Every structure is written in C-alpha cells, then in structure tokens.
Amino acid sequence: MAGHQFHECLADMDRIDLNLFRVLDAIYTHGGVSAAARALHLTQPAVTHALGRLRDQLGDPLFVRQGNRLLPTDKVRAMMPAVQSHLKGLLASAHTQATFTPASLQMEFAIGFRDILESIALPRLVAEIGREAPGVRLVSRRVAADEMERELSGGSLDFMVDRPLRAGPRIAHQHLLDDTLVVAMRRDHPFARQLSRADYLVAQHVIVSPLGEANALDTLLGQNGLFREIRMVAQHYFAACQIVVASDLLLTVPKAYAEHLKPVLPMALQPLPIRIRAIPILAYWHESKDDDPAHAWFRERLVKSITGAMQASST
C-alpha cells in the first residue's frame, strides 16, 4: 500500500518536484518546520513554501500541529517507508558522483560544549575550519544533559561533547579520550608541595556547577562515607581557578584544563589523592546525520581538534 501510494504520487513527474519529498522527509524526521530547515540548510520560509506546494499537489494536509510538533497524517505515515527508501537510493547515487568541497560550504554547526572543552578545543577548531571552509559558522552552547537527545533529534544541535550521558538508540557517539582530575591551588598554598588524602578532606573547596547539577565527585565520595567542605559554588572553571589563586580554597579540575591555564594563572597542581576512574569524553550526534558528507567532514575536524588540544594541554 505504501509503495503504491508513493508511485501514484510520482506518476505525474511534471507535476511534482522530487525535491519536495526531501522536505517531507525532513519534517517527518525532525518533527517541525524550523528543525527541518536547519537539517536541510534552508530558510524556514523556504521549507514552509515547499510544504505548502506539496500539500496542494498531494491534496492532503500532510501534518497536523500538536503542541510544538507537527504530526504526520495517515497518508504520510503510509507513504514514508517508500519515500525514505527512494530518497536514500537517490542520495547514495548522487554522493558517488558528486565531489564534496568544504570550501563551498555556507552553513552553521552548533556544538554543545562544557566551558572547559570550549576554551581548550575551539581555538584550534576555528583555525582549522577557517582554513578549509571560510563560509562555515560555529555556535558553541551549554546544553543540559537531559536536553541533549531532544536538541540533537530536533536539529537545533549538531554535536554534543560531554561525559557519558543517557541517550536513545538513534543517538550515535564516539569515544574521544579519557581525562583525569588534579587539584588546583595558589602557588604558596600550604599544600602546594604535597597533598595527602587527609589534607584534601579537611580543606575547604570551590566546585563548579553552572546548571545547579549535583557534583559527581561529591556523590562518589559520599557513597564511600567521605565528605569535603564546599565553601563556594561557581558557574565556570576559569572563575573558580581565579578564586583559588586568591584564597585558601582548593579546586578539583580536569587535568587538561588545569595544565592549559597554568601558564596564565599562578596555580600549583597536585594529583587528586583519592583514586577514581578516568573520565571518558564522548562526542554525540543524531544518526540521521551519518550520510551527510558535510556533517561527517565537520565531525572529523571536531574530533581531531579536541583530542589534539587535550593531549597538548596534558603534556
């Protein structure tokens, strides 16, 4: 039935523009016009116009609004398996014949970054992207962990780089590297030359919690009956590093970022005197982007910039 309806739609090839089916697929996959526009690298009015044309030509509303999402009609649900199968074949054929050229890209990539990774990786990424694809624009955002899947699925976010997060089966991921923790303090701090476990637990600390989330280290310590005194909560690690160089507080911070800032701020670093596992850093994206050559190209540059910058900071 689905294939029959789709072939009926294609029967009059002069009447229907096949590009309109790409718009149909994007709205169906991403649940809205603005998200579809972003996925297709088109303006929202262009997608709205295309949807209107297809509605007129197929004689069906195609989608009905429910809250913030557009839900497909029965006709669209029946057609989509065949539509997507044909589109996949057409795109595969086009990709084998077309040469991807980053220099011709005119688009935007949005990345979900913690402030640590933003300051370490973005300078290197911007430099490389600028050389290869001067028409590409980058947007770095802080995204709450529980919003990652919705934003990646909706198309408002292209990548998320973070610690291990819960995600559904359509969210792809790649392990980038493992980071460790060190303790930062002012250079003339009493613990600057040596920091024992007992010293660490009796000291006063500043932690970073930009969105008010629980501190993972304190959760882990509490599970083992250990506690530390938190005297301040900051929003950003750079601010927290500035605080420790002007006080007696200690800051537990990823090693790569601490080493990155050490030439800038008068900090001393000591190994964390409590044994914990290294912290995996992963990149996340929606699997619908896997066949997009621009997305694959950017993902390669993103991974290279992050791993290279983090390794350089740790040496």
Side-chain angles (χ1 to χ4, degrees), residues 144-187:
D146 59 359
E147 291 292 314
M148 176 191 73
E149 184 167 0
R150 182 184 67 81
E151 296 229 24
L152 289 175
S153 300
S156 58
L157 193 69
D158 294 295
F159 293 96
M160 180 87 161
V161 182
D162 211 321
R163 299 174 183 183
L165 302 174
R166 292 183 179 180
R170 297 205 66 189
I171 303 301
H173 67 272
Q174 178 179 346
H175 176 265
L176 304 182
L177 48 82
D178 294 317
D179 200 7
T180 56
L181 296 175
V182 296
V183 184
M185 64 201 78
R186 57 183 172 85
R187 285 177 182 168

Side-chain angles (χ1 to χ4, degrees), residues 103-114:
S104 65
L105 285 179
Q106 296 289 330
M107 58 187 297
E108 175 182 290
F109 290 98
I111 315 163
F113 263 142
R114 289 177 177 262

Side-chain angles (χ1 to χ4, degrees), residues 16-187:
I16 296 183
D17 180 354
L18 291 180
N19 283 321
L20 299 181
F21 287 106
R22 293 187 63 225
V23 174
L24 180 72
D25 179 49
I27 297 174
Y28 180 85
T29 299
H30 297 289
V33 170
S34 59
R38 181 177 176 80
L40 294 170
H41 314 309
L42 297 173
T43 64
Q44 187 169 330
V47 172
T48 301
H49 178 69
L51 178 60
R53 289 176 58 198
L54 197 56
R55 280 171 166 162
D56 291 341
Q57 293 176 359
L58 298 184
D60 188 85
L62 303 181
F63 297 94
V64 294
R65 182 166 294 282
Q66 186 175 90
N68 294 325
R69 290 183 63 84
L70 291 178
L71 299 183
T73 62
D74 290 341
K75 181 169 186 174
V76 170
R77 289 193 184 94
M79 289 170 52
M80 285 314 297
V83 169
Q84 291 177 329
S85 175
H86 282 74
L87 284 175
K88 187 174 182 179
L90 288 170
L91 289 173
S93 176
H95 288 163
T96 60
Q97 298 176 27
T99 301
F100 172 69
T101 54
S104 65
L105 285 179
Q106 296 289 330
M107 58 187 297
E108 175 182 290
F109 290 98
I111 315 163
F113 263 142
R114 289 177 177 262
D115 64 316
I116 287 179
L117 288 170
E118 182 183 61
S119 62
I120 294 177
L122 270 190
R124 186 177 290 223
L125 178 62
V126 167
E128 183 160 353
I129 294 299
R131 287 191 297 268
E132 293 188 51
V136 166
R137 180 171 179 263
L138 302 181
V139 175
S140 174
R141 297 172 44 212
R142 184 64 196 261
V143 178
D146 59 359
E147 291 292 314
M148 176 191 73
E149 184 167 0
R150 182 184 67 81
E151 296 229 24
L152 289 175
S153 300
S156 58
L157 193 69
D158 294 295
F159 293 96
M160 180 87 161
V161 182
D162 211 321
R163 299 174 183 183
L165 302 174
R166 292 183 179 180
R170 297 205 66 189
I171 303 301
H173 67 272
Q174 178 179 346
H175 176 265
L176 304 182
L177 48 82
D178 294 317
D179 200 7
T180 56
L181 296 175
V182 296
V183 184
M185 64 201 78
R186 57 183 172 85
R187 285 177 182 168

Side-chain angles (χ1 to χ4, degrees), residues 209-271:
S209 181
L211 297 174
E213 66 269 39
N215 185 275
L217 178 58
D218 286 299
T219 300
L220 180 63
L221 292 174
Q223 291 172 350
N224 291 278
L226 302 174
F227 303 92
R228 55 182 182 157
E229 183 180 355
I230 307 302
R231 296 293 294 176
M232 182 170 184
V233 179
Q235 294 186 62
H236 303 285
Y237 272 101
F238 185 73
C241 288
Q242 291 178 303
I243 290 165
V244 300
V245 300
S247 69
D248 287 332
L249 300 181
L250 303 184
L251 171 67
T252 305
V253 60
K255 181 181 179 182
Y257 185 72
E259 295 288 357
H260 180 70
L261 282 188
K262 195 175 177 183
V264 180
L265 296 173
M267 295 190 306
L269 303 178
Q270 286 291 328

